[in-house]
Amino acid sequence: MRIDRLKEFISENELDGVLITGKENLFYFTGSSPVLGGYLVVTPDDAIFIVPELEYEEARETSRVPVEKFKTGKELYERLSSFKLKKLGIEGRTSFSTLQTLREKVGAADFVSVDDVVKELRIIKTPEEIEVIKAACGIADMAMMAALEEISEGKREREIAAKMEYVMKMNGAEKPAFDTIIASGWRAALPHGLASDKRIEKGDLVVIDEGALYRHYHSDTTRTIVVGSPNEKQKDIYYAVLEAQRKGVEAARPGMTAKELDTLVRDVIKEYGYGDYFIHSTGHGVGLQIHEWPRVSQQDDTELKPGMVITIEPGIYLPKFGGVRIEDTILITENGAERLTKTERELI
Amino acid sequence: MRIDRLKEFISENELDGVLITGKENLFYFTGSSPVLGGYLVVTPDDAIFIVPELEYEEARETSRVPVEKFKTGKELYERLSSFKLKKLGIEGRTSFSTLQTLREKVGAADFVSVDDVVKELRIIKTPEEIEVIKAACGIADMAMMAALEEISEGKREREIAAKMEYVMKMNGAEKPAFDTIIASGWRAALPHGLASDKRIEKGDLVVIDEGALYRHYHSDTTRTIVVGSPNEKQKDIYYAVLEAQRKGVEAARPGMTAKELDTLVRDVIKEYGYGDYFIHSTGHGVGLQIHEWPRVSQQDDTELKPGMVITIEPGIYLPKFGGVRIEDTILITENGAERLTKTERELI
């Protein structure tokens, strides 16, 4: 069915075929994910997955699409040439080097991006995909619990991340969904403060942003705590962010646009007087990639629909003082939204 | 000095400039590595590093090249357009989407790959780079020690990897250099058997292939053990691989080519009668990327030179039976080669 949509795209755009090489798109369309990569060729009538010889046996076991193998680049290019792919649909990420090879050795001359049709498919998750994302979110919650237990005065941010990632892997994750963020004290004002060698100090705000990669799907969640007792200003920004995040989760539903959801969350932060310190968008889609569609931002008018999985993650960042971010991965349902990451949000 | 070589390339190829956007090349040329990326523009007389506003402060502190910031895509494209980059040098990995944007919004019309000149620079490591790679190799050795202590009958491959990656991170690594391979029993016949949920059984060959990413540089090492007492066939392939790997390390020196080194190692495996089961190349360069230049293979005639860092990693893979691989990261010195990963190699 997914491949059928690519065939429609071929017909709509009068292409000779589509070539997919991106790791997660290969998994999406074939069910297989060779470490050394592969080439999914879709033509008006056919689909074939061409993989390096070393990957052949495993690909044959996992792929829903017929599999062929190649030994050398020459063999691969000859086989690709046989499809006569002059006007070719490719992914937007396809590299300049690959384009040159396709031109010089495969006879392709004209390229069209297939990104929009891939997005149209992948933006709505199937029940099977949702189950896997829920499991990935469950692992993220376990890692968050480990972080909350582990964080104390004197420990290094990196040590906390090490423990969290150990917990993820022991619970079945392939790896962290992205480089774990542990940003304490002044570093909490950095939206992307990767866990560093800084030691956690008493009174620090600590932003913990993490997720797990599980069976090819990602999860994403953030909590913020204070080591010791929060001061008034810390409380002030904490409760502003918490209210914005809660209102976002409550409001998210089919029919509203991603932009409207961003506005609604942003307005809460503005009401508290911190609008200038919420310096990123409200969220993003999550799936086979950690950042996918829709973007919950002022630039994305996508209408929310059941089966979309997005994050809601408002934040306030005060330079030198620190910052707060609270984030859940949520599923858009028929009537509203469901939180897939479930760690308690009120932590100070 | 590195940027001067890009300026020479501009002049040699009559370009208007070079645009670098790849993460590790940005780090290589600027000393800075913004999480959200950046745009290094080099013109015949100038170099400027343009980063998203969120990254500005950090980039200014770390970059050796003057830094500018942008707020929106529009602002970025206007600034890039101001350089009049009609004929532009770019990295081979630059994506089709980026090329389209450069054409439509920046006025670029003609693209030339800068990969060869980047390779020419990066293939020889400076003393400072070698120190960091040595540290990354030291962390890989610690993780290997943890694996050797941890592996026992009944444990899952993934649990071993979890412990190793915890040790890496606790010792300062940013993360694993690549997905850790723990391939036991029949899975040891898979050259890329990522740690799975398989339990380790008595009598299993276990291939452990891992490395650490430390301060942007990678390390790479493999050891193979037998759980319990090895049988004759296991010993046979183990000692063939060990001899090939030792001879490779002893022979590697300036003046020989990567291909000659591959041949020398491959011939040892052939003498033992397992030539058909050594199904990959002997090794690869290691640095800011886990796989870089040279390739120690039949396809690469690069002459080895002092300052190159490569792996030597022969293996024998017998389908269904299992496999053996032994690998070190080594440095080509004035007179020979130095092992940078140092875990004992004779482990059965």
Side-chain angles (χ1 to χ4, degrees), chain B residues 184-244:
Chain B
S184 64
W186 65 270
R187 294 190 77 251
L190 307 173
H192 299 100
L194 304 185
S196 77
D197 289 326
K198 178 185 173 298
R199 290 192 193 275
I200 289 163
E201 292 170 60
K202 201 174 166 183
D204 274 0
L205 279 163
V206 187
V207 174
I208 309 139
D209 187 349
E210 52 95 9
L213 179 69
Y214 177 72
R215 299 193 177 178
H216 304 279
Y217 286 84
H218 296 75
S219 54
D220 196 354
T221 182
T222 307
R223 292 293 182 270
T224 303
I225 60 166
V226 174
V227 180
S229 303
N231 61 36
E232 286 309 309
K233 195 166 176 187
Q234 287 173 336
K235 278 191 209 167
D236 202 36
I237 62 174
Y238 191 92
Y239 284 102
V241 171
L242 182 60
E243 188 179 325

Side-chain angles (χ1 to χ4, degrees), chain A residues 2 18 55 62 95 111 159 211-212 216 228 326:
Chain A
R2 292 170 180 175
V18 163
E55 304 282 1
T62 50
S95 73
F111 299 104
E159 293 171 28
H216 304 280
I326 299 173

Side-chain angles (χ1 to χ4, degrees), chain B residues 157-203:
Chain B
E157 292 170 355
R158 196 188 301 276
E159 292 171 29
I160 311 299
K163 187 61 188 285
M164 293 166 72
E165 294 173 8
Y166 177 72
V167 167
M168 284 181 202
K169 198 135 189 167
M170 289 299 281
N171 285 286
E174 275 110 64
K175 57 179 152 183
F178 50 89
D179 293 348
T180 301
I181 290 172
I182 308 277
S184 64
W186 65 270
R187 294 190 77 251
L190 307 173
H192 299 100
L194 304 185
S196 77
D197 289 326
K198 178 185 173 298
R199 290 192 193 275
I200 289 163
E201 292 170 60
K202 201 174 166 183

Side-chain angles (χ1 to χ4, degrees), chain A residues 36 54 90 92-97 99 111 158-159 162-163 165-166 169-170 172-173 175 179 192 279, chain B residues 36 54 90 92-97 99 111 158-159 162-163 165-166 169-170 172-173 175 179 192 279:
Chain A
L36 301 175
L54 276 180
I90 55 168
R93 85 182 85 178
T94 307
S95 73
F96 179 57
S97 315
L99 294 174
F111 299 104
R158 195 188 301 276
E159 293 171 28
K163 187 61 186 287
E165 295 173 9
Y166 177 73
K169 198 134 191 168
M170 289 300 281
K175 56 180 154 183
D179 293 347
H192 298 98
I279 50 180
Chain B
L36 301 175
L54 275 181
I90 55 168
R93 85 182 84 177
T94 307
S95 74
F96 179 56
S97 314
L99 293 175
F111 299 104
R158 196 188 301 276
E159 292 171 29
K163 187 61 188 285
E165 294 173 8
Y166 177 72
K169 198 135 189 167
M170 289 299 281
K175 57 179 152 183
D179 293 348
H192 299 100
I279 51 180

Side-chain angles (χ1 to χ4, degrees), chain B residues 41-254:
Chain B
V41 179
V42 183
T43 62
D45 318 299
D46 220 347
I48 212 135
F49 188 31
I50 309 173
V51 301
E53 194 178 20
L54 275 181
E55 304 283 1
Y56 184 62
E57 290 304 327
E58 203 164 335
R60 275 220 306 187
E61 275 176 33
T62 49
S63 174
R64 295 181 298 261
V65 174
V67 179
E68 287 183 9
K69 60 184 166 182
F70 67 91
K71 268 194 180 181
T72 62
K74 189 163 172 286
E75 216 177 285
L76 170 67
Y77 305 138
E78 279 174 11
R79 182 63 177 116
L80 290 176
S81 300
S82 75
F83 295 104
K84 309 206 178 303
L85 303 168
K86 202 161 174 202
K87 189 170 178 193
L88 184 61
I90 55 168
E91 296 153 288
R93 85 182 84 177
T94 307
S95 74
F96 179 56
S97 314
T98 301
L99 293 175
Q100 281 184 311
T101 304
L102 290 172
R103 274 200 193 91
E104 290 162 17
K105 301 189 173 159
V106 179
D110 198 0
F111 299 104
V112 175
S113 170
V114 300
D115 286 2
D116 283 348
V117 66
V118 170
K119 166 183 164 181
E120 171 200 314
L121 289 166
R122 278 179 43 193
I123 199 170
I124 304 290
K125 273 66 181 174
T126 64
E128 293 73 25
E129 288 181 295
I130 291 166
E131 283 314 302
V132 180
I133 294 172
K134 281 184 179 174
C137 287
I139 298 172
D141 280 330
M142 288 189 251
M144 188 62 79
M145 188 176 302
L148 299 177
E149 280 169 11
E150 206 65 19
I151 289 175
S152 59
E153 204 185 327
K155 285 200 182 151
R156 292 185 194 277
E157 292 170 355
R158 196 188 301 276
E159 292 171 29
I160 311 299
K163 187 61 188 285
M164 293 166 72
E165 294 173 8
Y166 177 72
V167 167
M168 284 181 202
K169 198 135 189 167
M170 289 299 281
N171 285 286
E174 275 110 64
K175 57 179 152 183
F178 50 89
D179 293 348
T180 301
I181 290 172
I182 308 277
S184 64
W186 65 270
R187 294 190 77 251
L190 307 173
H192 299 100
L194 304 185
S196 77
D197 289 326
K198 178 185 173 298
R199 290 192 193 275
I200 289 163
E201 292 170 60
K202 201 174 166 183
D204 274 0
L205 279 163
V206 187
V207 174
I208 309 139
D209 187 349
E210 52 95 9
L213 179 69
Y214 177 72
R215 299 193 177 178
H216 304 279
Y217 286 84
H218 296 75
S219 54
D220 196 354
T221 182
T222 307
R223 292 293 182 270
T224 303
I225 60 166
V226 174
V227 180
S229 303
N231 61 36
E232 286 309 309
K233 195 166 176 187
Q234 287 173 336
K235 278 191 209 167
D236 202 36
I237 62 174
Y238 191 92
Y239 284 102
V241 171
L242 182 60
E243 188 179 325
Q245 205 268 354
R246 281 187 167 150
K247 286 201 168 154
V249 175
E250 280 159 25
R253 68 191 62 244

